[in-house]
Amino acid sequence: MSTPYNIPTIIGIADVCQYLAQNAISKSALFKKPPFTPLLPEIIYVENDSLKYIYANNLSGNNAELDAVANYVFSLCVYTLQAYNIYSSGNGGTIAPITPGTIMPLPYDFIVSGSSFIANGVSSITITLFIGYNIEFVRNAVPQYTTDDGSGLYYSWDRATGLFTISVAASGDGNPGSEHFRISAV
């Protein structure tokens, strides 16, 4: 007796058919009942597990028994064509990879001094790392806005060029009492 496919292919088709059958049962609540018993996914699992064991441990070399079990497992697979296409393609689909360039840049968090990212007395700087992102700006633990709330402290940001401007220049020498800035890409 022979099998329609080799044993590893039948095992792979049965693995996929088990999930396709379970999917059909899940959809049966919305649509008509599947054309098989609701226990089919479990039956495929048990019989395919037996086939895997016999295939891996065929010490006696009894190919007739192996072929009989393989044919039985294959006969349980009601979604054979769909399962074969998924199995033979090597996957069930693709997942778009995450490109390294989409990782958010780390924020700038510093105390204003003569040598800080925005130095004492400076009111504008180009932040090339944040180009294309929106930003959040926190000055002395108070979130800042692009509109003046009456305090005279606000900022502007051009996400196309990276030009960051604050309304009152940075102030500090790095000692206690110096301004603390945090600029984050969002």
Side-chain angles (χ1 to χ4, degrees):
M1 178 166 26
S2 66
T3 58
Y5 297 103
N6 62 30
I7 304 299
T9 302
I10 291 175
I11 290 171
I13 290 171
D15 283 338
V16 175
C17 273
Q18 175 188 344
Y19 293 103
L20 293 175
Q22 184 61 50
N23 192 29
I25 290 169
S26 298
K27 288 181 179 179
S28 69
L30 299 172
F31 306 107
K32 64 181 181 176
K33 292 191 177 264
F36 50 79
T37 176
L39 295 175
L40 185 61
E42 289 84 6
I43 294 169
I44 292 173
Y45 171 77
V46 170
E47 297 300 333
N48 197 32
D49 198 43
S50 299
L51 177 61
K52 289 176 188 177
Y53 180 81
I54 293 169
Y55 180 69
N57 301 306
N58 192 8
L59 301 176
S60 65
N62 186 353
N63 289 336
E65 178 183 300
L66 184 62
D67 287 348
V69 174
N71 283 329
Y72 176 64
V73 169
F74 189 74
S75 72
L76 293 173
C77 300
V78 295
Y79 295 104
T80 308
L81 293 176
Q82 186 179 0
Y84 180 76
N85 287 334
I86 292 170
Y87 175 75
S88 66
S89 70
N91 61 39
T94 59
I95 296 174
I98 298 172
T99 55
T102 60
I103 297 172
M104 296 290 283
L106 295 174
Y108 289 108
D109 195 353
F110 58 94
I111 295 174
V112 175
S113 69
S115 62
S116 60
F117 179 69
I118 298 177
N120 183 32
V122 174
S123 62
S124 67
I125 189 170
T126 300
I127 308 174
T128 56
L129 189 62
F130 292 174
I131 290 176
Y133 293 99
N134 291 324
I135 64 165
E136 288 181 346
F137 174 51
V138 177
R139 187 177 199 159
N140 294 324
V142 178
Q144 302 295 295
Y145 302 97
T146 57
T147 55
D148 187 0
D149 63 356
S151 67
L153 297 174
Y154 60 95
Y155 73 96
S156 67
W157 169 248
D158 186 341
R159 67 184 280 179
T161 64
L163 181 62
F164 175 72
T165 306
I166 52 179
S167 66
V168 176
S171 169
D173 57 6
N175 294 321
S178 296
E179 289 189 299
H180 178 245
F181 285 2
R182 181 177 178 90
I183 308 168
S184 305
V186 291

